[in-house]
């Protein structure tokens, strides 16, 4: 938990630094999530940080209100973003900073194995924190794209990569497709040049390349054609077409940049973004791809 919380704090600091000092017009810039501006990305994280704090500190109270949220369906995320547009940019940023601080304080009091409710299967506290880091990084990428910022990849990406690998079966299942029995080996190069791998060493199917590109693919922020990933084998090719490190309805992902389509393509729904408990199915953390 200490390592995870340290990395979540660092990811939070990077996002805060990206939006700190922006003028009001920059907060209204469109991001790759269709219909969402920079302000919506930050408000989204703030709202679900408050929800995460509630899940960590009052799990039974969280469970009591959960059905009402789920009953709103996929439109809930957009409705929450629209409601927050009455706030000024400064208020949105202050909300995010305060909400993230509250959630970090709540997480720090938890045992790594404690079970927490969320918008899907319960998750361990460790998986819960990992999911918050993944979502912060993914939405941070939307903000960076809107602002024209090129982020320096960090070793924190290993958490996102881990979720992406563990969620492989879910990418098929959520689309009503049979989960392949053949294993896939993943061999990635971390930002510092060191190797990272998952899956059986003798697997015939392989996905390899930069860890950054793999993470962008599994959070559906880049199309496979716009990455340097190498894919070998039928199962690996099928997986890279449906990969998602978040739970909920499958997102539309991003089209190849060369295609004649609108520059920003959103997708996903109420339950986009979440962690995967070790050995389990993806947990759920609302978001937008």
């Amino acid at each position: 938990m200490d390592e995870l919380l340290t990395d979540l704090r660092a990811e939070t600091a990077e996002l805060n630094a990206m939006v700190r000092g922006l003028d009001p017009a920059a907060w209204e810039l469109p991001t790759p999530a269709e219909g969402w501006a920079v302000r919506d990305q930050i408000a989204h994280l703030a709202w679900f940080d408050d929800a995460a704090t509630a899940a960590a500190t009052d799990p039974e109270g969280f469970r009591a209100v959960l059905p009402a949220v789920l009953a709103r369906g996929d439109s809930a995320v957009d409705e929450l973003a629209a409601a927050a547009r009455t706030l000024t940019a400064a208020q949105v940023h202050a909300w995010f900073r305060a909400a993230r601080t509250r959630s970090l304080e709540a997480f720090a009091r938890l045992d790594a194995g404690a079970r927490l409710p969320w918008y899907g299967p319960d998750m361990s506290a460790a998986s819960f924190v990992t999911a918050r880091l993944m979502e912060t990084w993914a939405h941070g990428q939307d903000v960076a794209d809107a602002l024209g910022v090129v982020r320096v990849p960090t070793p924190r990406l290993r958490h996102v990569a881990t979720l992406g690998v563990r969620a492989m079966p879910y990418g098929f299942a959520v689309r009503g497709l049979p989960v392949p029995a053949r294993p896939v080996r993943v061999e990635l190069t971390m930002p510092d040049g060191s190797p990272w791998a998952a899956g059986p060493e003798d697997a015939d199917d392989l996905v390899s390349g930069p860890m950054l590109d793999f993470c962008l693919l599994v959070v559906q922020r880049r199309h496979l054609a716009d990455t340097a990933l190498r894919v070998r084998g039928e199962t690996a090719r099928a997986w890279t077409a449906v990969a998602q490190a978040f739970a909920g309805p499958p997102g539309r992902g991003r089209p190849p940049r060369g295609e004649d389509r609108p520059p920003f393509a959103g997708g996903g729904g109420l339950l986009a973004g979440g962690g995967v408990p070790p050995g389990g199915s993806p947990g759920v953390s609302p978001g937008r791809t």
Side-chain angles (χ1 to χ4, degrees):
M1 284 294 281
D2 287 344
E3 177 185 342
L4 284 168
L5 288 168
T6 294
D7 283 351
L8 179 54
R9 291 187 187 100
E11 198 65 42
T12 301
E14 181 176 301
L15 179 55
N16 274 321
M18 208 169 8
V19 298
R20 186 181 299 118
L22 291 179
D23 60 40
W27 282 85
E28 305 302 330
L29 289 173
T31 70
E34 187 175 358
W36 279 27
V38 169
R39 60 151 44 248
D40 300 313
Q41 300 284 350
I42 304 302
H44 170 87
L45 289 171
W47 198 96
F48 286 105
D49 275 346
D50 280 341
T53 300
T57 60
D58 183 16
E60 293 312 310
F62 182 89
R63 293 183 196 279
V65 301
L66 179 58
V69 177
L70 295 179
R72 297 167 70 177
D74 290 351
S75 65
V77 171
D78 284 324
E79 291 169 1
L80 294 170
R85 289 173 191 146
T86 60
L87 302 175
T88 66
Q91 288 172 328
V92 169
H93 194 196
W95 177 22
F96 171 63
R97 294 196 305 270
R100 180 54 57 93
T101 296
R102 287 190 292 267
S103 67
L104 285 166
E105 290 173 350
F107 297 156
R109 294 191 291 268
L110 297 174
D111 180 81
R115 305 298 295 180
L116 302 179
W118 199 231
Y119 299 92
D122 288 1
M123 291 190 286
S124 70
S127 292
F128 203 92
V129 174
T130 306
R132 297 310 300 153
L133 190 153
M134 180 273 292
E135 191 174 2
T136 302
W137 182 80
H139 288 283
Q141 186 61 50
D142 291 332
V143 172
D145 287 343
L147 299 176
V149 172
V150 178
R151 298 192 294 177
V152 177
T154 76
R156 297 190 297 272
L157 289 176
R158 69 192 184 280
H159 303 299
V160 182
T162 298
L163 291 181
V165 170
R166 289 179 177 172
M168 175 184 164
Y170 187 80
F172 291 95
V174 75
R175 291 165 173 80
L177 302 173
V179 177
R182 291 169 61 90
V184 177
R185 173 77 168 175
V186 178
E187 296 180 352
L188 305 174
T189 302
M190 291 185 63
D192 63 2
S194 60
W196 183 96
E201 292 185 11
D202 60 351
D204 292 328
D205 288 60
L206 174 70
V207 176
S208 62
M211 178 173 281
L212 172 62
D213 286 9
F214 179 78
C215 292
L216 288 168
L217 178 74
V218 298
V219 298
Q220 296 192 355
R221 263 58 183 186
R222 293 291 186 272
H223 190 278
L224 177 64
D226 295 319
T227 74
L229 294 173
R230 298 175 295 278
V231 182
R232 183 186 75 203
E234 182 179 348
T235 298
R237 286 192 292 272
W239 175 34
T240 55
V242 301
Q244 61 181 69
F246 54 86
R252 285 182 289 158
R254 303 284 158 77
R257 291 182 172 181
E259 290 192 13
D260 184 19
R261 299 186 186 181
F264 298 144
L270 169 62
L271 306 182
V276 183
S281 59
V284 181
S285 170
R288 185 177 180 84
T289 59

